[in-house]
Structure formats: structure tokens, C-alpha cells
């Protein structure tokens, strides 16, 4: 089947420092693209080293330019995506902005959703004296929801219409599964770039504000980069036009350059082809898990329909934490663990082959069959 992989050539576009290391966590931190190494060297040596402050003329456009590029892989026409801050800060800005624009209303976040999403919603709600609900009712609300579940990989249904303002978190979706924000009529979204978008550690996240809403929404952080005439240094804050009003302070130029290279790779491969490969990889893992890992106490915690699954598969096992640590130490495999009992296997399609899937099952089976995880220290910090 590898020979049929139309994306096989992309495997060679990444730095693989140690070929014996089996990397199964590309949905937590994507691998380093070779192009990013060259680009960062250029930005550091030429743009910063030689250009110095003069380079701001080009750098200042980067959050919008890179935002538009991110938009191209999540179905957003130009002018609606800004690459900035972290997902957490972007969610905070969007929740406040939505409440200001649409009036006080309940907030909705699932207790199973990603921690930062819950913390942001709960913090904003507490400050404003608003209720937080675990699921939406008929009452118009502000909903924060992940498109791809960080634990199970399940892809959520995007309803064609809704009485709510929904802020979609695309962190585990972007660059892995088809996202059509404009076509779906999505109003607001945010997500990170260091997972399937390959932006690297600490790379800036992004936010999406549909054109129709931009005039109405204001960022709760009034910063000089969101100011209409930034270098007029005026007395009063007047938000600039468009999504750029969600800027706060000076953008992280090195991180933006890395995001640009990562997302270029995704755009070149094409999200539809990436998702097609994700389905091949995850289906193979599910089949092998049923056949060879189920007898060792594993069960598949991800959806069985590949069309309803992102690019990772979670395997439930009572000793998942010990197994994940032992895989790193004894089998040179790097999976992820998600409490309380999930071994999460990320199969980021551009940097993972079908042979990697087979090898993952070989190593997990070998470890657990010999009891290599028994007695492994599970105290201390969970990564
Ligand atoms: C990874 C991830 C984030 C990351 O948040 P940051 O503030 O960018 O660190 C947020 N939400 C979800 C659902 C994630 O998977």
C-alpha cells in the first residue's frame, strides 16, 4: 500500500534525526520540515542580522499574510484569519468579543473538551457572572467546541444553522481533516499551528472572524497593533478595519516564518489528500489493534468510521500511562498519553508511513506481551 501513497514523497521533506525513533506524536508537535531550517536561518542571519529594524517593513505584514495562508487550508477566503498569540489568548479574545457584540448569554463548553478551552470559558463566565453549561440548550449561547476531539479524534458535526454563536477550536483539525469555514457559515474559530500545521514549538496560533462579523466585534485587548493608525501614536484607541483589529502587540516574527513554511507544505500536499491518507493510516491501526492488541487488553476508543476520525487513534488500556512511558524508554517509540487511560497514537499523514503504523503495533505488542510496562514508575509529571 505504501507504493500507492501519493504523499510518500513528503516523508523526505522532514528532518529525521534518528531513523530508529518511531514518532507517534505529530498531533502534539509536528515534525520539523527541512524547509523551515533554511527559512529560519535566512530570517535570523539576513533579515534580522543584516536588515535590522528595516526588516519590519516586511515583517509587519506577516500575521495577515500567514493568516491568509492558514485560511487557504481551512476554507477561509483572505482577510479573515490572523496569525497571532496562542489559541488560549485567541479564544479569550473571541469569547469576550462575542459577548460584547451579542449581549450577555450563557456559555457552553463540554467537560470533555480540551482543558484550556474550559478554563478560558469558565474564567470569562465567572468574571461576567454568566452560567456555564455542559451542553447547548435552546437558549442562544456562546459555544466553544473542538472540531476534532483531542482524546478520541472524533470529528464533530457542524450544524448548517444554529441559534448559538459557535467558536470552533480547530487545533487538532487544521491540516488533517477538511475544514470549510466559509462554506459552512462558521462565524468564529481559533486554533494552534504546531500540530498538523507544522509550525513548531511555541509557534503563534490563529483566529478566524467571518467578514460579516468583523465590523461588529472588538478585541478586549486594546493593543497598538490593532490600532487604526498604528504609527500615528494617537491619543485614543480606534480599532483598525478587518480581522487585524484582533492584533494585540508585536508579532513573533521567527515563529511566523516557521508557520509559513509548515502551512506551505500542507497546502502543497492538499488537505483532501492528507485526509485520505489519514483514513488509510488510522484504519490500518484500528484493524491491527483489533487483531493483535485487543488480546493484550487494549480497546479502540476512537470512532470506527474513518470518515468521522481525525489523524490520531486512541487505544484504551488500564496501564496506558506505564505503557506510554515504557514505549519511550524500551522501544524507542514516542506516543502520547491522555488521562486517565488512553494511549494516543498520532499519525500525522505527511510525516507518517504505513510502515510506521505496522511498526507501532509491533513495538506496542512486543512491550506489553513481555510485561515491559509492569512496575514502570508512573509518578511525576505527565507530559
Ligand atoms: C493544542 C490545543 C490547544 C493549544 O492551546 P495553546 O494556547 O495554543 O497552547 C488549544 N485547544 C485545543 C483543542 C488543542 O488541541
Amino acid at each position: 500500500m505504501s507504493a500507492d501513497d501519493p504523499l510518500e514523497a513528503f516523508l523526505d521533506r522532514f528532518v529525521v534525526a534518528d531513523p530508529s525513533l518511531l514518532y507517534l506524536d505529530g498531533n502534539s508537535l509536528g515534525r520539523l520540515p527541512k524547509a523551515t531550517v533554511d527559512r529560519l536561518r535566512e530570517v535570523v542571519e539576513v533579515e534580522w542580522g543584516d536588515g535590522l529594524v528595516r526588516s519590519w517593513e516586511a515583517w509587519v505584514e506577516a500575521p495577515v499574510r500567514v493568516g491568509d495562508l492558514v485560511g487557504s487550508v481551512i476554507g477561509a477566503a483572505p482577510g479573515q484569519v490572523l496569525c497571532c498569540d496562542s489559541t488560549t489568548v485567541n479564544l479569550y479574545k473571541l469569547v469576550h468579543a462575542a459577548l460584547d457584540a451579542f449581549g450577555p448569554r450563557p456559555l457552553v463548553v463540554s467537560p470533555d473538551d480540551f482543558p484550556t478551552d474550559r478554563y478560558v470559558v469558565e474564567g470569562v463566565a465567572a468574571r461576567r457572572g454568566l452560567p456555564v453549561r455542559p451542553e447547548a440548550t435552546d437558549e442562544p449561547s456562546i459555544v466553544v467546541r473542538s472540531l476534532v476531539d483531542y482524546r478520541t479524534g472524533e470529528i464533530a458535526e457542524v450544524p448548517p444553522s444554529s441559534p448559538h454563536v459557535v467558536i470552533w477550536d480547530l487545533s487538532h483539525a487544521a491540516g488533517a481533516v477538511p475544514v470549510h469555514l466559509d462554506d459552512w457559515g462558521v462565524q468564529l474559530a481559533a486554533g494552534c499551528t504546531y500540530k498538523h500545521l507544522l509550525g513548531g514549538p511555541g509557534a503563534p496560533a490563529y483566529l478566524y472572524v467571518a467578514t460579516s462579523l468583523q465590523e461588529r466585534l472588538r478585541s478586549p485587548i486594546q493593543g497598538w497593533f490593532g490600532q487604526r493608525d498604528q504609527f500615528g501614536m494617537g491619543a485614543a484607541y480606534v480599532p483598525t478595519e478587518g480581522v487585524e483589529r484582533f492584533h494585540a502587540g508585536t508579532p513573533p516574527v521567527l515563529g511566523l516564518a516557521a508557520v509559513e513554511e509548515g502551512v506551505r507544505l500542507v497546502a502543497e500536499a492538499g488537505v483532501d489528500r492528507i485526509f485520505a491518507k489519514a483514513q488509510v493510516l488510522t484504519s490500518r491501526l484500528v484493524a491491527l489493534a483489533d487483531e493483535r492488541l485487543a488480546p493484550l487488553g487494549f480497546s479502540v476508543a476512537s470512532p470506527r468510521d474513518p470518515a468521522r476520525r481525525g489523524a490520531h487513534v486512541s487505544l484504551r488500556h488500564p496501564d496506558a500511562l506505564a505503557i506510554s512511558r515504557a514505549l519511550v524508554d524500551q522501544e524507542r517509540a514516542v506516543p502520547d498519553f491522555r488521562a486517565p487511560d488512553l494511549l494516543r497514537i498520532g499519525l500525522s499523514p505527511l510525516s507518517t508511513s504505513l510502515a510506521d503504523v505496522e511498526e507501532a503495533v509491533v513495538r506496542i505488542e512486543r512491550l506489553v506481551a513481555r510485561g515491559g510496562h509492569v512496575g514502570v514508575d508512573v509518578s511525576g509529571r505527565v507530559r
Side-chain angles (χ1 to χ4, degrees):
M1 283 171 87
S2 274
D4 298 337
D5 175 7
L7 297 180
E8 195 179 17
F10 282 88
L11 298 171
D12 193 42
R13 306 279 289 273
F14 294 90
V15 172
V16 179
D18 174 2
S20 74
L21 186 80
L22 188 60
Y23 192 55
L24 304 170
D25 210 2
N27 58 328
S28 196
L29 177 67
R31 273 195 188 273
L32 168 62
K34 289 176 179 169
T36 304
V37 178
D38 298 334
R39 175 73 187 278
L40 289 183
R41 181 170 294 124
E42 156 112 7
V43 174
V44 169
E45 291 182 357
V46 179
E47 296 180 18
W48 178 9
D50 186 27
L52 294 168
V53 77
R54 294 171 295 176
S55 293
W56 268 113
E57 215 170 301
W59 290 337
V60 85
E61 308 291 339
V64 168
R65 185 182 71 238
V66 180
D68 285 345
L69 182 63
V70 171
S72 74
V73 298
I74 55 174
Q80 302 177 102
V81 178
L82 186 70
C83 200
C84 61
D85 301 312
S86 62
T87 314
T88 306
V89 171
N90 288 334
L91 288 171
Y92 176 88
K93 291 188 288 191
L94 293 178
V95 173
H96 270 299
L99 284 168
D100 287 339
F102 294 94
R105 38 171 82 193
L107 294 164
V108 176
V109 69
S110 162
D112 292 327
D113 216 325
F114 192 80
T116 216
D117 301 54
R118 292 185 277 114
Y119 304 154
V120 165
V121 166
E122 283 161 13
V124 173
R127 198 152 290 145
R128 291 189 176 229
L130 296 169
V132 179
R133 304 208 166 118
E135 57 195 84
T137 62
D138 289 342
E139 189 181 359
S141 307
I142 309 283
V143 179
V144 173
R145 181 142 196 226
S146 290
L147 184 59
V148 170
D149 186 282
Y150 78 106
R151 281 193 280 225
T152 64
E154 180 168 3
I155 303 176
E157 299 273 1
V158 179
S161 72
S162 160
H164 312 294
V165 176
V166 185
I167 304 170
W168 287 99
D169 186 332
L170 308 176
S171 294
H172 270 95
V177 307
V179 181
H180 300 285
L181 296 181
D182 291 348
D183 289 352
W184 293 344
V186 169
Q187 295 178 297
L188 301 168
C192 74
T193 60
Y194 51 79
K195 293 169 181 158
H196 300 290
L197 294 181
L198 313 167
Y206 56 89
L207 55 78
Y208 163 92
V209 180
T211 306
S212 59
L213 277 183
Q214 288 175 1
E215 194 65 30
R216 214 168 148 192
L217 262 59
R218 284 179 67 139
S219 173
I221 303 174
Q222 300 191 164
W224 71 314
F225 268 75
Q227 165 75 353
R228 188 175 297 257
D229 178 17
Q230 186 187 2
F231 291 98
M233 306 281 177
Y237 174 79
V238 182
T240 188
E241 310 267 291
V243 73
E244 285 171 81
R245 61 174 53 190
F246 278 89
H247 254 321
T250 305
V253 170
L254 301 180
L256 282 163
V259 174
E260 193 163 32
E261 294 307 321
V263 180
R264 267 189 193 146
L265 215 50
V266 170
E268 184 188 334
V271 174
D272 289 342
R273 291 202 299 173
I274 291 174
F275 184 50
K277 181 168 175 186
Q279 295 178 74
V280 171
L281 296 177
T282 59
S283 296
R284 185 71 185 139
L285 181 61
V286 166
L288 289 172
D290 283 343
E291 188 187 313
R292 283 158 51 192
L293 301 181
L296 296 169
F298 289 92
S299 60
V300 173
S302 297
R304 288 198 166 264
D305 176 1
R308 300 242 45 87
R309 217 167 40 211
H312 66 270
V313 171
S314 281
L315 302 176
R316 183 164 276 126
H317 192 288
D319 301 324
L321 178 55
I323 292 168
S324 71
R325 293 201 173 165
L327 279 168
V328 176
D329 294 337
Q330 299 174 35
E331 291 288 347
R332 301 198 54 67
V334 182
D336 213 334
F337 165 75
R338 283 294 173 260
D341 58 359
L342 295 179
L343 183 68
R344 194 177 70 174
I345 311 291
L347 301 172
S348 205
L350 288 183
S351 58
T352 307
S353 68
L354 207 51
D356 292 334
V357 174
E358 309 274 335
E359 187 59 24
V361 174
V362 166
R363 295 190 196 189
I364 295 168
E365 184 181 31
R366 188 163 63 200
L367 175 90
V368 178
R370 74 166 177 270
H373 61 292
V374 177
V376 162
D377 181 14
V378 291
S379 62
R381 194 177 138 89
V382 174
R383 196 167 35 86

